[in-house]
Amino acid sequence: MDDYSQPEILPPAWINKDPSELAESHVFIISCFVAGVIGILTIVYTAFQWRRNISLSLMKATATKKKDPKLRNMIPLAAHTWNLESGSRGRNINCCVCLKSVSSSQNLGSMVGSDSFIHRCRVCGAAAHLSCSRKAHRDCKCVSMVGATHVLHLWAVRWTEVVDQPDEVSFCSHCEEPCSASFLGGSPIWCCLWCQRLVHVDCHSSFYSDTGDVCDLGPFRRLIVSPLHVKELGRTSSGGILSSITHGANEIASSVRASIRNQNKKIKPGKEVCVESSNGSVGESSTESTNDINLANDASNRTQEKENYNGNMNMYTNGTSQHQDSDVNKFGGKLRVKRSLSDSKRDESYVAGMKQKYELTDLGPDARPLLVFINKKSGAQRGNSLRLRMNILLNPVQVFELSSTEGPEVGLYLFRKVPNFRILVSGGDGTVGWVLDTIEKQNFVSPPPVAILPAGTGNDLARVLGWGGGLGSVDRQSGLCSMLQEIEHAAVTVLDRWKISITNQKGKQLQALKFMNNYLGVGCDAKVALDIHNLREENPEKFYNQFMNKVLYAREGARTIMGRTFADYPWQVKVEVDGVDVEVPEDAEGIVVANIGSYMGGVDLWQNEDDTYENLGPQSMHDRILEVVSISGTWHLGKLQVGLSRARRLAQGQTIKIQLLAQLPVQIDGEPWMQSPCTLTISHHGQAFMLKRSSEEPIGHAGAIVAEVLAHAESNQVINASQKRSLLHEIALKLS
């Protein structure tokens, strides 16, 4: 039986102990374990606090070194431009004054509840507590350094996490060691606010001895407007008063002329006269636009992405004469184009000039400066972040935010004498259309080409030009640094632009001319866009990013599937293409006239690879031809989105007429409205230069090289701007 006895698990010394003594031993062991854990945690916490204190001490030493009067007098500096920002965005960021974390900031009071706020510089990204910001030193970018011989490195502690950083500048510029924080703090890092290069503070003295701290503006030097060529304008009070008096006198004179015209109309009433518009072209001379008439002067409503383009659009001035009864008189059977155009242009130039704070001087023949327009109210709602990122990478004077009080005119006026500049538009299709319209009104001899940073909802034009369907695609490709590199080497292409005339049965124009870059839709697709537009007007807070915008589009589309709102659609519209009637299919609930190969966020309606239509050619955005297709309902739209169906091709042509026999929804490039019975006439208006991403296209590389050669030839006066424009236009068409 002894063989089956249980083995002795406890030590022999414990077998004969009291249970109370055993309990005390267990307590002692547990106490020792807890004490050991606490000791280890204390050591770890002490080590991290030591690291933090070392880092703060080095930061303070670094900041003290930057405040050295000898260093501060060498580099022109500017004050920070503070913006109020939520404290939740300031996590892991230290105040640039007290060097403490800004995550636990002050409140503004009961007006904003318990939310904390901080000040954030919109130029360099530095953050400060509300109580510290007024004590901050002038160590921000100075955008104007006229008179200096060189741009010097503007070193600053990296207060903010840099999202966009070139790969080649992630190492110290002197010792070439990685610039990353070590466990014990190590040497803090300085970042140049101009070229984005990094240097260890300990390496700076040696680096200064070797280079003299001269900055070459880094990898984007050709795109950056050098502060050496930016002159700050100073206006005296007397000059301002004199300008105001002069402008007031001009306004009085304009009013008197308008009164005289009205009296002449009452004395000599004439018949309605419509001035025919000629088709403008990029290749045509801009001096032929002396007879243009401005039809719409209200630009204050153009900040919303989908309503800011066509509704309040000013007419193109590229070789076009347009109809406006108040500006056209008939006398002796001859047309007199009044001087209101020159007056309005003079007023626009005056307003743009009065808003100028800087003037650009000679930038040099190798410069290809980039003018940036940002619409922060576009679909992605990331305008503030994009502006900060652009200000960090470029000169802030070349970055403009579009608003109800400031359109693209101000930026274009600043660059009016700059050759070979390019434009980047951050926004959706409506914002791009707004900028293109304003460019044509400036009468550039050689208009600047336009690239697109897709920040809208659909971003159809950006898709066909290779810039992606949203900001997510840009961030996945190394952010804005990669985008800027591709813009510098992008190919120039051509985009057809179309005008839409809305007339009644008697041929009288009901609305101002509208302009189209992408597509026009009549029927079910416009109904979905109109519902979304109305929802945006009622609840703008719901449209806070691109993904939610698409979700709301899908929801509104699903609502219209249940009932056939457009059951009688084939008998409510008539379509005519180049003078030939086109039969509308009986199952059609919408007609789309397309200029580009992307619709409603990437749907290819025409599909050039489809060879079932032998009598119809491929689609192109610069062949002066439009494509007409039909859609058989909202459910068909949904299947088009996921690639399960195709639109039905109807026709191709240069002049499209759509007659509405009933009230129907209409949209142009995403701007919808309800249209009463009328006739929509679509005809070619002109062409615009655009930039196409060429990194994946051999022909695109050739186009980029040709554009660079022509720009170099113009800079060396081998050809003039008009010749460069014509050559670039023809070569872009051939390469496309």
Side-chain angles (χ1 to χ4, degrees):
M1 298 295 294
D2 293 336
D3 295 336
Y4 298 96
S5 60
Q6 293 182 351
E8 296 180 355
I9 299 176
L10 295 177
W14 287 18
I15 296 176
N16 299 324
K17 283 191 177 182
D18 251 2
S20 59
E21 291 180 357
L22 285 175
E24 290 177 0
S25 299
H26 292 163
V27 171
F28 174 75
I29 293 173
I30 294 173
S31 301
C32 291
F33 176 76
V34 172
V37 171
I38 294 175
I40 293 173
L41 293 176
T42 303
I43 293 173
V44 172
Y45 176 76
T46 304
F48 275 103
Q49 284 294 106
W50 182 35
R51 176 186 180 276
R52 180 177 178 274
N53 291 336
I54 289 176
S55 297
L56 285 178
S57 299
L58 287 172
M59 257 190 177
K60 290 178 181 178
T62 303
T64 304
K65 185 176 181 180
K66 284 183 63 64
K67 297 171 189 175
D68 185 357
K70 294 182 180 179
L71 292 176
R72 290 175 60 83
N73 292 335
M74 291 175 58
I75 305 173
L77 300 172
H80 292 285
T81 305
W82 298 115
N83 278 350
L84 199 63
E85 194 173 280
S86 173
S88 60
R89 299 183 182 180
R91 295 177 181 176
N92 303 322
I93 299 177
N94 292 332
C95 172
C96 66
V97 179
C98 68
L99 305 180
K100 296 180 181 179
S101 175
V102 297
S103 58
S104 56
S105 186
Q106 307 100 320
N107 291 346
L108 286 180
S110 58
M111 293 178 61
V112 292
S114 61
D115 292 334
S116 60
F117 289 84
I118 61 174
H119 272 147
R120 190 75 173 268
C121 179
R122 70 179 184 183
V123 174
C124 66
H129 297 108
L130 300 183
S131 59
C132 295
S133 58
R134 62 178 179 272
K135 306 174 187 176
H137 289 269
R138 294 171 57 92
D139 55 359
C140 193
K141 272 185 179 180
C142 182
V143 299
S144 176
M145 299 182 187
V146 171
T149 56
H150 299 286
V151 179
L152 299 179
H153 285 295
L154 181 54
W155 301 111
V157 177
R158 178 172 284 180
W159 302 112
T160 182
E161 181 182 357
V162 180
V163 180
D164 312 287
Q165 179 179 325
D167 296 335
E168 59 268 24
V169 298
S170 59
F171 297 87
C172 176
S173 299
H174 179 71
C175 68
E176 298 183 356
E177 293 294 327
C179 287
S180 58
S182 63
F183 177 74
L184 295 179
S187 176
I189 302 166
W190 272 353
C191 176
C192 177
L193 297 182
W194 285 111
C195 65
Q196 310 305 313
R197 288 189 175 93
L198 305 178
V199 68
H200 294 118
V201 174
D202 294 342
C203 299
H204 178 256
S205 297
S206 302
F207 182 77
Y208 177 79
S209 301
D210 295 342
T211 65
D213 248 8
V214 175
C215 180
D216 63 355
L217 301 182
F220 306 125
R221 62 182 67 90
R222 301 183 71 198
L223 299 177
I224 297 175
V225 174
S226 172
L228 300 177
H229 302 288
V230 180
K231 179 181 178 182
E232 188 171 3
L233 299 179
R235 290 190 175 88
T236 61
S237 59
S238 60
I241 294 174
L242 181 61
S243 299
S244 300
I245 293 174
T246 304
H247 184 56
N250 290 335
E251 288 184 341
I252 294 174
S254 299
S255 301
V256 171
R257 286 194 295 267
S259 300
I260 294 174
R261 284 197 300 269
N262 292 334
Q263 290 179 1
N264 290 338
K265 285 184 179 182
K266 292 179 181 179
I267 296 173
K268 298 179 180 181
K271 298 180 182 179
E272 289 184 342
V273 180
C274 181
V275 183
E276 291 295 329
S277 299
S278 61
N279 292 341
S281 173
V282 171
E284 297 171 359
S285 173
S286 61
T287 58
E288 297 177 1
S289 59
T290 56
N291 294 331
D292 293 352
I293 302 298
N294 187 9
L295 286 184
N297 295 319
D298 184 12
S300 63
N301 297 324
R302 296 183 291 183
T303 54
Q304 293 298 330
E305 172 58 35
K306 297 304 180 184
E307 65 181 357
N308 65 1
Y309 173 41
N310 291 302
N312 296 314
M313 183 71 70
N314 287 324
M315 285 198 163
Y316 283 142
T317 60
N318 187 16
T320 307
S321 297
Q322 297 170 350
H323 170 69
Q324 186 180 25
D325 292 341
S326 62
D327 289 333
V328 179
N329 257 347
K330 184 176 181 181
F331 180 76
K334 295 181 179 180
L335 294 177
R336 291 183 179 179
V337 180
K338 294 300 177 178
R339 300 172 61 185
S340 62
L341 173 66
S342 58
D343 293 339
S344 63
K345 284 184 179 178
R346 194 181 306 117
D347 291 342
E348 288 179 2
S349 298
Y350 174 84
V351 172
M354 289 299 293
K355 291 183 178 181
Q356 295 298 320
K357 298 179 181 179
Y358 303 97
E359 183 180 4
L360 303 184
T361 59
D362 263 344
L363 297 181
D366 292 332
R368 303 291 182 265
L370 185 66
L371 173 59
V372 181
F373 293 114
I374 297 176
N375 186 355
K376 69 177 184 180
K377 293 188 176 180
S378 293
Q381 301 286 314
R382 291 172 56 182
N384 291 330
S385 171
L386 289 173
R387 178 165 187 172
L388 174 59
R389 292 162 66 181
M390 284 294 182
N391 284 339
I392 290 175
L393 295 173
L394 305 174
N395 192 328
V397 301
Q398 59 192 111
V399 182
F400 290 84
E401 183 178 304
L402 301 178
S403 67
S404 58
T405 58
E406 184 175 306
E409 296 84 1
V410 179
L412 292 172
Y413 186 86
L414 176 65
F415 277 69
R416 67 193 185 280
K417 298 179 181 178
V418 178
N420 302 320
F421 75 96
R422 297 184 166 194
I423 293 178
L424 174 63
V425 179
S426 173
D429 295 326
T431 307
V432 176
W434 182 10
V435 173
L436 289 178
D437 176 73
T438 310
I439 289 173
E440 292 206 15
K441 291 194 298 177
Q442 303 304 309
N443 288 335
F444 287 106
V445 178
S446 181
V450 178
I452 305 173
L453 180 60
T457 301
N459 303 309
D460 290 297
L461 188 53
R463 292 173 190 271
V464 299
L465 294 174
W467 300 114
L471 293 176
S473 61
V474 175
D475 291 335
R476 286 191 296 270
Q477 298 174 358
S478 303
L480 295 182
C481 285
S482 176
M483 180 87 178
L484 293 178
Q485 291 173 352
E486 290 171 351
I487 288 174
E488 184 176 357
H489 302 98
V492 178
T493 188
V494 177
L495 173 70
D496 284 328
R497 306 200 70 197
W498 302 84
K499 60 187 176 184
I500 295 96
S501 173
I502 304 176
T503 58
N504 60 12
Q505 294 180 352
K506 297 181 180 180
K508 181 180 179 181
Q509 192 161 321
L510 301 177
Q511 299 183 29
L513 285 180
K514 295 179 179 292
F515 297 90
M516 179 187 80
N517 299 317
N518 301 351
Y519 48 78
L520 175 145
V522 180
C524 61
D525 67 308
K527 176 67 166 56
V528 175
L530 182 61
D531 292 340
I532 288 293
H533 173 76
N534 294 333
L535 182 62
R536 186 194 293 268
E537 292 293 313
E538 297 172 0
N539 305 288
E541 70 280 357
K542 292 184 178 180
F543 295 81
Y544 56 84
N545 63 36
Q546 185 181 16
F547 176 74
M548 278 305 302
N549 294 354
K550 291 186 176 182
V551 170
L552 293 173
Y553 266 98
R555 189 189 72 176
E556 294 300 319
R559 286 182 176 179
T560 61
I561 292 177
M562 303 305 296
R564 289 197 64 190
T565 311
F566 301 96
D568 298 328
Y569 182 83
W571 298 274
Q572 294 175 335
V573 296
K574 292 183 178 179
V575 180
E576 179 185 305
V577 178
D578 291 341
V580 178
D581 291 335
V582 175
E583 182 181 358
V584 179
E586 293 186 0
D587 62 343
E589 294 189 15
I591 295 292
V592 177
V593 180
N595 181 46
I596 64 175
S598 181
Y599 170 76
M600 291 187 68
V603 177
D604 185 1
L605 294 177
W606 195 253
Q607 296 188 352
N608 286 338
E609 67 275 7
D610 187 357
D611 54 0
T612 57
Y613 300 87
E614 296 180 356
N615 58 333
L616 298 174
Q619 185 182 46
S620 174
M621 64 180 180
H622 44 68
D623 58 357
R624 301 174 186 255
I625 294 177
L626 291 171
E627 285 71 35
V628 185
V629 300
S630 68
I631 297 172
S632 58
T634 310
W635 178 248
H636 188 200
L637 277 177
K639 292 194 293 183
L640 288 173
Q641 289 282 350
V642 296
L644 297 178
S645 183
R646 295 185 178 185
R648 180 180 297 181
R649 294 185 184 183
L650 297 183
Q652 285 179 304
Q654 296 180 331
T655 303
I656 315 295
K657 288 186 178 181
I658 303 177
Q659 185 177 358
L660 307 186
L661 305 178
Q663 189 179 49
L664 290 171
V666 180
Q667 69 153 334
I668 298 176
D669 292 348
E671 183 226 352
W673 75 95
M674 189 62 72
Q675 179 62 51
S676 57
C678 69
T679 299
L680 305 173
T681 303
I682 310 170
S683 57
H684 193 261
H685 171 72
Q687 292 180 317
F689 283 137
M690 305 297 293
L691 287 173
K692 185 175 183 180
R693 184 169 175 261
S694 60
S695 60
E696 301 175 357
E697 191 177 347
I699 295 180
H701 287 298
I705 294 172
V706 168
E708 179 62 28
V709 170
L710 292 177
H712 184 73
E714 182 191 6
S715 300
N716 291 292
Q717 299 181 349
V718 177
I719 59 176
N720 58 33
S722 179
Q723 291 171 331
K724 172 200 162 186
R725 173 183 182 170
S726 300
L727 289 171
L728 190 60
H729 177 257
E730 292 301 321
I731 294 173
L733 289 178
K734 295 296 183 182
L735 291 178
S736 298

